[in-house]
Amino acid sequence: MSRFIATAAIRGARAIVDEADKLLTDAVQKLGPDTPVAFPNTTYFLPVIYGLTAHKVQKLSDLNWPLQHAKDLLPPVPRGNLWLPYLGETLDAGMATLYAEEIIEGVRWAKGEQPEVRNGYKLNGPIDDVQMRAWGIQMVDGRMPGFAAIIGAAKSNEVAVKIVRELQSKGQLVFLIGNNKGRSIIDQLLESGVELGYDTFTVTFGTDTVSAIYALGYATRAGISFGGFKAGDARANLLYNKFRCFAFALALGPVDDLKYATAAGAINYGFPVIADTAIPNILPTGVTKYEHVVSLPFDDIAGKDDLEKAERLVQRCIEIRGIKIKVAQIKIPVAYGPAFEGEVVRKENLRVEFGGKGGMAFEWLQTKNLDEVEDGKITVVGPELDDAPMGSKMPLAIMVDVAGRKMNKDFEPVLERQIHHFTNGAEGIQHMGQRDITWIRFSKSAVSKGFHIKNIGDILHAAFHNQFGAIVDKIQITLYTDPAKVKDLLEQARVVYQERNVRTANLTDEAVDTYYSCSLCQSFAPTHICVINPERVGLCGAYNWLDCRASYEINPRGPNQPVPKGAVVDASKGEWEGSNKFVYEHTNMAVQRMTLYSLMDAPMTTCGCCECVMVLLPETNGVMIVSRDDYGQTPSGMTFTSLMGTVGGGLQTPGMMGHGKFYILSKKFISKEGGIKRVVWLSKNLKEEMAEELKEVCEREGVPDLMDKIADGTICTTVEQLVPWLQEKGHPALAMDAILQ
Amino acid sequence: MPVEIPVEKWNGQVHQVKLGGAGGRKELVVGGENTLPFLKFEGNIPHRPAVAIEVVDQPPQGWAEPLVKAWGNVLQDPAAWAKKAAEYGADLISLRLRSAHPEEGNTGADHARKVVAAVLAAVDLPVIVLGPEVAQKDNEVLVAASEVGRGQRLGLGDCLDKNYRTIGATCLADGHVAIAKTPIDMNLAKQLNILLSDLGLPLDAILMDPTTGALGYGLEYTYSVMERLRITALMGDKMTSPPMICTAGEESWRQKESKATAGVPQSWGEQEQRAILWEKITAIGLLNAGANVIVLRHPRTVEDVKAAINKLSA
Ligand code: SF4
């Protein structure tokens, strides 16, 4: 806490409480103690006093108690030689200020001095209950992020207009308050012909700082209404506003004692204050969700002119308050939606393509600092597609820079993989692959409707905001088509891809203390739960540990929940107290324990969507693995489909288990039973598809020629045939410890 | 030979949810049981399941003949219809604002206000107001309905994962109960309850609609999801413990078995009797799965289902 601010705020609080005292005494003398006091069209009395203390003010004499309360809260002004933490006192001074300000406005209403009339224009004054409800619902359901209380006056009329327009375009409600040497933002906007009122989400409170109390009155009523709290439950109301109401104050122009004191009041609600002048910052994030007081001197903001500075100022405010942007509509010249995801663009209809055979295209998503990313900036470096010959290939680098307080480098690949899904949604655009095997085709019809390379940026900007808003705050996209540049960047990207591969490979179960669950399949397999660890994907193959972690960040109430490992029960089987407890609780107590590395003892349950099924073949002392894409008979006597009928549906069946195909490559692949050396039969399609990876794994496990000893459907489909074949090949499983104890 | 009845001891309990009971409206409480449906020997069942009658805010399109015949003229006037429903023994009214559907009238907030006010004035029973099942329009008309019925503890729905914030906030602000609907999936039902709780809506202001499948059209699926929800609630999971509401009438009257008058085997019998049976069996099945509020269409079904509830609760 800055001593400077603390001192100023406490000074300001003492002065305003004193003023309220004088005003009240005077009014009681002149009008009598029973003169009614009420804000118009509200059932919440004077809402800050009522909401935080349950005290109902209906006449002038009812103001005595809150005044005394404010006085009691007032701390002494810190002495120059004394160092205190100040925060508590400053917040108390802030509360005292708010009570005093509301008392002053109450007296003004009693005297008929409100709402204020300025140069013939009648200001709005406090927001009535009906409007509070209408906006309140929008704030709760997220259509309106929050409100911005602007206090003072901007550098110029143009800047004032720009700031308000920017805030409106972000869906913020704008409250207009106060003045700066007699000039108010309200004057500036009115002179510029800006329409002010409920319809344009701009509310004029008053041209002195005291009227800022109406903003807090609004917040307090919203807390009671939508938080479901009783009047007087101050703590709950303040916390509600801190976490639910994305409001902030923007002080334009010099900050005097009363503004500091009012700011201190706002901080109690968790509303940060941003000043466009040089004042001390209060950065620790405690009472407010983020910074308390941030100074952004207007002239120091980067920008070619004042308007650009104003735009950046608003952008910073939004970031500081952690307001999430939603992009309602993707602005592209073709239709967009899931219906177009499976489209194929054929040669005849091809306008231009990127990547594919002989081409060069890649995608690279990187995390940057918040100040390195300009949200919504989309740049094409190199030629657009207009001059490209019909059906030709262009090089393309899709560079996506994201920034966000909750962004994590590990989420980069998770987000990057979404580019495929996002771009595919555009009509007439086909996207395949990822990383440096990206292959994109634009159809003639899409391009004739005006689709350009730049539009990929529009899609990605909107889609990332909308679906990953919980972790990314800002997104900028650069699309390179200049061949030399693409080539150069591709080399850099490949280094990063390689680093990521290494990181994923090093991400072991031992390295983490939390696994993640997936309960998506419980809708049809009620007792099934996937526990997903770094070295084992979900059995459908669609979710790995990183995906689940990101999904949990994005949707903390969703199907992927953290599973704390807890104490080890049996390291070799992959059994922990934490995972057992989680599984028990999340399968309706149907599954008591679950191991992650064993087929024979409490294996994972199996639902209907596994990529492979593994089955014990006792005669061979090993296991067979059949893939979902293999329709043939297997040595177990059952096809994949009939096996699913036996093992699927959420059952835990020792000796039989569904799993993802990449699990076969894991070091934790049934490690309890001896790993890949136990595999005696494997579907041909898997052998081919994963030939290289399997070879590496066999080498890693010290059995380089193992693949030659594993049978498949073209070799045999019965155990009777399989056993002699294995003997002939000398399969290692035959000599291993008995798998059936 | 004396037979010992096995008795299960549950730790949990279904939440009690109150509808009406203020602003001149009769009070109806559902839920509160700490055992499976109708097992009075095992636990305490303080409130019987309630029967709601469905009322639509405009003459319904495509309703089967027996329904049209049974209600007659009141189909033109939701207030008169609600009154009639009360005479037929409804414990509460379920008012569907169908006319707000973009393709069936596209009426807005003003119309909703009028209809809801008229129905509220016509009966003193608790009222549930349901939107046209288009999220955007739901929000528009339900927020309006909420204002009209402020403080009278209406039910408001459908509250879906898409619009739960709006409906939840509206219920909070005006003291109503959210009808939280999810597509036959236990985890989604639970998740929606959690999300609503996060919003600050207490669990005793939620009725779960697990989405009803009619007899022959997924009844068993709904049954098993409801059963799982209820067992989990009884085992102590608060987030699955709100009472459940099922739209048995709407679903069963949608089906061919209720609608077909010709071109069906003779053994199917006469339409009216068949359709009522269909609705009745669907309803009783769902009551046995744990439905606390059952929404019906035909007056005869109402009578029969009420009789069945009486017997089962005796
Ligand atoms: S199989 Fe896939 S979708 Fe189903 S629960 Fe497991 S990880 Fe989730």
Side-chain angles (χ1 to χ4, degrees):
Chain A
M1 185 77 205
S2 142
R3 181 161 72 191
F4 175 81
I5 293 185
T7 310
I10 293 171
R11 242 184 357 237
R14 299 191 74 88
I16 196 75
V17 171
D18 198 40
E19 190 184 328
D21 193 357
K22 291 203 181 96
L23 208 64
L24 179 57
T25 315
D26 179 62
V28 170
Q29 262 174 23
K30 289 194 179 132
L31 303 173
D34 293 333
T35 308
V37 173
F39 288 177
N41 303 320
T42 179
T43 56
Y44 296 89
F45 310 94
L46 300 197
V48 172
I49 293 170
Y50 177 63
L52 301 187
T53 69
H55 178 76
K56 297 176 183 172
V57 174
Q58 287 164 295
K59 51 185 192 303
L60 281 177
S61 60
D62 293 338
L63 289 169
N64 291 327
W65 182 83
L67 181 67
Q68 189 54 46
H69 188 45
K71 285 182 185 168
D72 293 345
L73 281 170
L74 276 184
V77 177
R79 285 206 308 270
N81 58 356
L82 200 71
W83 175 252
L84 285 167
Y86 299 127
L87 181 61
E89 278 106 340
T90 311
L91 292 175
D92 283 350
M95 282 319 301
T97 305
L98 300 186
Y99 293 138
E101 288 178 338
E102 203 166 48
I103 291 166
I104 293 174
E105 291 294 7
V107 173
R108 286 176 178 170
W109 278 97
K111 298 202 312 202
E113 293 172 1
Q114 281 285 308
E116 186 183 338
V117 178
R118 175 122 169 145
N119 307 326
Y121 180 87
K122 190 167 151 207
L123 271 52
N124 186 84
I127 294 170
D128 60 51
D129 279 0
V130 172
Q131 193 59 50
M132 181 277 292
R133 262 177 46 90
W135 280 333
I137 290 176
Q138 294 188 36
M139 283 195 192
V140 177
D141 71 19
R143 276 176 286 168
M144 185 184 271
F147 67 76
I150 306 184
I151 307 176
K155 188 177 170 190
S156 67
N157 286 10
E158 291 73 50
V159 170
V161 173
K162 181 72 180 169
I163 288 174
V164 170
R165 291 278 185 247
E166 278 299 305
L167 287 166
Q168 284 172 316
S169 76
K170 308 253 179 318
Q172 286 285 103
L173 184 57
V174 183
F175 298 155
L176 302 161
I177 301 155
N179 72 78
N180 198 353
K181 296 204 200 82
R183 225 172 133 58
S184 167
I185 176 119
I186 298 175
D187 303 331
Q188 295 181 310
L189 295 170
L190 287 173
E191 283 163 21
S192 313
V194 175
E195 188 92 17
L196 300 177
Y198 287 165
D199 291 344
T200 55
F201 295 177
T202 46
V203 189
T204 49
F205 281 160
T207 60
D208 65 359
T209 304
V210 172
S211 65
I213 193 64
Y214 293 148
L216 298 156
Y218 169 87
T220 310
R221 285 182 287 158
I224 298 177
S225 241
F226 299 104
F229 316 121
K230 294 216 161 47
D233 195 347
R235 194 186 132 78
N237 202 315
L238 297 175
L239 281 175
Y240 178 85
N241 274 292
K242 170 180 168 181
F243 289 109
R244 303 294 171 95
C245 182
F246 289 94
F248 61 88
L250 175 58
L252 301 177
V255 180
D256 59 21
D257 286 355
L258 181 57
K259 285 182 186 164
Y260 277 121
T262 309
I267 292 171
N268 280 289
Y269 283 77
F271 301 157
V273 178
I274 296 120
D276 76 340
T277 50
I279 60 168
N281 287 328
I282 308 182
L283 296 180
T285 65
V287 182
T288 50
K289 215 166 158 202
Y290 300 119
E291 293 87 345
H292 303 306
V293 175
V294 180
S295 165
L296 298 168
F298 192 78
D299 292 325
D300 299 352
I301 298 172
K304 63 176 188 305
D305 54 23
D306 281 354
L307 295 187
E308 204 171 294
K309 287 172 197 263
E311 192 182 324
R312 299 250 163 92
L313 174 64
V314 171
Q315 181 69 47
R316 265 303 276 157
C317 292
I318 301 266
E319 271 166 48
I320 288 166
R321 188 57 182 100
I323 292 167
K324 300 292 179 187
I325 307 292
K326 285 249 182 231
V327 185
Q329 219 171 1
I330 300 187
K331 280 184 254 133
I332 51 171
V334 298
Y336 188 86
F340 305 107
E341 267 174 39
E343 266 179 325
V344 177
V345 176
R346 294 187 202 289
K347 199 103 209 145
E348 313 83 73
N349 192 21
L350 178 68
R351 175 63 187 83
V352 56
E353 68 181 332
F354 312 88
K357 219 162 155 202
M360 177 165 60
F362 70 95
E363 298 158 348
W364 181 10
L365 181 140
Q366 303 178 72
T367 314
K368 294 267 168 83
N369 290 327
L370 277 164
D371 55 6
E372 291 171 317
V373 180
E374 189 179 321
D375 186 46
K377 185 169 159 200
I378 299 164
T379 327
V380 178
V381 182
E384 252 294 351
L385 52 75
D386 303 274
D387 294 331
M390 193 57 70
S392 63
K393 258 187 208 301
M394 289 177 73
L396 179 66
I398 301 179
M399 306 284 290
V400 182
D401 297 332
V402 301
R405 288 173 194 258
K406 285 176 82 185
M407 184 61 197
N408 181 314
K409 240 185 141 37
D410 280 343
F411 299 157
E412 286 177 0
V414 177
L415 264 60
E416 191 181 282
R417 271 207 308 271
Q418 298 296 321
I419 297 176
H420 163 74
H421 168 65
F422 291 158
T423 40
N424 247 342
E427 182 186 9
I429 308 301
Q430 178 189 341
H431 184 290
M432 286 190 283
Q434 49 159 318
R435 288 189 173 180
D436 55 352
I437 53 165
T438 297
W439 182 14
I440 305 173
R441 286 183 147 193
F442 288 8
S443 72
K444 284 180 192 160
S445 52
V447 173
S448 72
K449 284 183 191 148
F451 196 89
H452 276 78
I453 295 170
K454 172 183 175 294
N455 294 125
I456 291 186
D458 295 317
I459 296 173
L460 297 180
H461 176 252
F464 276 117
H465 264 308
N466 292 348
Q467 297 204 18
F468 291 90
I471 49 177
V472 296
D473 295 327
K474 296 170 90 179
I475 301 130
Q476 79 186 7
I477 298 109
T478 317
L479 301 142
Y480 292 89
T481 58
D482 174 83
K485 199 76 199 149
V486 175
K487 192 153 180 280
D488 178 42
L489 284 167
L490 177 58
E491 267 155 39
Q492 297 176 37
R494 283 193 171 134
V495 175
V496 173
Y497 298 151
Q498 189 48 36
E499 280 168 17
R500 282 189 200 158
N501 288 348
V502 171
R503 200 164 50 227
T504 321
N506 289 343
L507 193 62
T508 58
D509 291 358
E510 290 77 13
V512 303
D513 55 13
T514 306
Y515 297 154
Y516 287 89
S517 67
C518 182
S519 58
L520 271 179
C521 289
Q522 283 196 352
S523 55
F524 48 88
T527 56
H528 173 69
I529 188 118
C530 273
V531 174
I532 298 172
N533 34 314
E535 296 182 72
R536 179 173 182 168
V537 292
L539 54 76
C540 59
Y543 297 94
N544 67 28
W545 185 82
L546 281 175
D547 296 323
C548 293
R549 189 163 69 130
S551 147
Y552 171 66
E553 285 294 335
I554 294 161
N555 180 8
R557 297 299 194 195
N560 303 112
Q561 293 296 318
V563 180
K565 280 159 78 172
V568 182
V569 177
D570 185 330
S572 68
K573 287 182 189 163
E575 186 178 3
W576 291 266
E577 277 174 11
S579 52
N580 276 344
K581 180 163 174 279
F582 187 96
V583 166
Y584 182 60
E585 283 168 4
H586 290 80
T587 55
N588 234 335
M589 311 189 197
V591 181
Q592 311 255 337
R593 47 185 285 266
M594 188 191 271
T595 64
L596 302 184
Y597 310 151
S598 170
L599 169 69
M600 300 310 293
D601 182 22
M604 201 134 101
T605 54
T606 300
C607 63
C609 50
C610 50
E611 285 184 303
C612 308
V613 185
M614 174 178 356
V615 185
L616 168 72
L617 296 175
E619 301 86 339
T620 67
N621 204 29
V623 302
M624 55 152 274
I625 295 171
V626 55
S627 139
R628 173 173 286 274
D629 298 323
D630 179 351
Y631 304 115
Q633 189 49 265
T634 75
S636 67
M638 286 190 268
T639 60
F640 180 87
T641 320
S642 28
L643 277 169
M644 281 318 298
T646 314
V647 75
L651 300 178
Q652 187 176 48
T653 322
M656 274 187 176
M657 174 171 76
H659 60 93
K661 63 187 179 196
F662 285 106
Y663 180 49
I664 307 173
L665 308 177
S666 164
K667 283 186 184 137
K668 300 290 162 32
F669 173 72
I670 51 165
S671 47
K672 173 68 187 165
E673 281 80 31
I676 197 159
K677 291 198 283 279
R678 284 284 183 192
V679 179
V680 295
W681 191 98
L682 178 62
S683 281
K684 177 93 175 163
N685 63 307
L686 283 182
K687 273 185 167 175
E688 285 168 354
E689 205 181 304
M690 306 206 295
E692 244 170 75
E693 292 95 330
L694 284 167
K695 191 159 163 262
E696 267 173 44
V697 170
C698 292
E699 274 160 20
R700 184 190 74 203
E701 299 295 314
V703 277
D705 58 348
L706 180 66
M707 285 319 290
D708 305 331
K709 300 176 180 173
I710 297 178
D712 60 50
T714 61
I715 295 165
C716 64
T717 53
T718 62
V719 188
E720 291 70 33
Q721 296 162 315
L722 179 58
V723 175
W725 189 86
L726 293 173
Q727 279 162 350
E728 184 196 317
K729 297 282 175 185
H731 192 290
L734 298 171
M736 288 167 81
D737 292 345
I739 193 166
L740 263 181
Q741 305 286 331
Chain B
M1 194 181 85
V3 179
E4 200 188 325
I5 298 179
V7 170
E8 194 93 39
K9 178 91 193 81
W10 302 101
N11 302 318
Q13 182 179 359
V14 178
H15 264 89
Q16 292 207 127
V17 171
K18 188 183 90 178
L19 288 158
R25 215 140 287 286
K26 273 190 190 150
E27 178 174 296
L28 173 72
V29 180
V30 292
E33 60 268 37
N34 61 0
T35 177
L36 289 169
F38 307 115
L39 302 190
K40 285 187 91 168
F41 59 86
E42 187 174 275
N44 183 25
I45 306 180
H47 306 285
R48 291 179 179 196
V51 174
I53 293 183
E54 183 180 343
V55 169
V56 187
D57 73 336
Q58 66 182 9
Q61 298 169 14
W63 273 28
E65 184 52 33
L67 280 176
V68 176
K69 200 175 76 196
W71 290 104
N73 276 341
V74 301
L75 293 180
Q76 312 294 325
D77 175 2
W81 187 350
K83 228 181 185 141
K84 193 99 192 157
E87 285 165 23
Y88 282 138
D91 298 313
L92 70 163
I93 302 296
S94 173
L95 172 64
R96 171 74 73 186
L97 299 175
R98 178 64 62 196
S99 74
H101 194 284
E103 279 149 33
E104 293 172 57
N106 205 23
T107 58
D110 285 341
H111 180 79
R113 265 186 218 107
K114 274 190 218 124
V115 176
V116 173
V119 170
L120 290 179
V123 293
D124 63 356
L125 297 178
V127 173
I128 289 173
V129 183
L130 301 174
E133 298 179 282
V134 177
Q136 195 99 40
K137 292 293 287 188
D138 278 353
N139 290 353
E140 183 186 338
V141 294
L142 291 173
V143 170
S146 168
E147 272 165 26
V148 176
R150 189 156 193 204
Q152 305 191 32
R153 209 157 175 85
L154 310 181
L156 285 187
D158 299 330
C159 175
L160 311 169
D161 66 341
K162 279 195 233 84
N163 67 352
Y164 78 91
R165 287 171 184 274
T166 308
I167 305 302
T170 311
C171 287
L172 258 175
D174 293 337
H176 299 312
V177 172
I179 313 291
K181 183 166 183 171
T182 44
I184 319 194
D185 185 307
M186 167 164 162
N187 284 338
L188 293 179
K190 179 171 172 178
Q191 187 182 334
L192 186 54
N193 292 341
I194 296 176
L195 291 171
L196 283 167
S197 307
D198 283 354
L199 210 59
L201 193 70
L203 286 166
D204 61 11
I206 299 175
L207 286 179
M208 294 190 283
D209 178 347
T211 300
T212 302
L215 173 63
Y217 295 87
L219 175 63
E220 59 288 347
Y221 207 10
T222 302
Y223 191 105
S224 102
V225 166
M226 289 173 71
E227 189 180 36
R228 280 167 57 209
L229 279 166
R230 182 53 51 86
I231 288 175
T232 316
L234 293 178
M235 289 198 309
D237 184 350
K238 291 256 175 301
M239 287 301 159
T240 54
S241 64
M244 296 185 276
I245 176 169
C246 293
T247 52
E250 184 178 344
E251 291 308 320
S252 68
W253 282 96
R254 224 209 279 281
Q255 311 309 341
K256 178 170 146 215
E257 285 78 357
S258 306
K259 286 182 145 176
T261 49
V264 296
Q266 205 167 16
S267 58
W268 280 29
E270 184 263 334
Q271 183 202 4
E272 181 170 15
Q273 194 191 8
R274 175 193 342 132
I276 291 173
L277 263 175
W278 215 264
E279 186 178 22
K280 204 160 88 177
I281 294 171
T282 302
I284 292 173
L286 295 165
L287 286 167
N288 278 302
N292 299 83
V293 179
I294 193 98
V295 189
L296 301 174
R297 278 191 176 169
H298 198 285
R300 274 246 309 281
T301 323
V302 172
E303 199 184 320
D304 292 355
V305 168
K306 289 195 85 157
I309 292 173
N310 281 342
K311 263 194 214 146
L312 286 165
S313 307

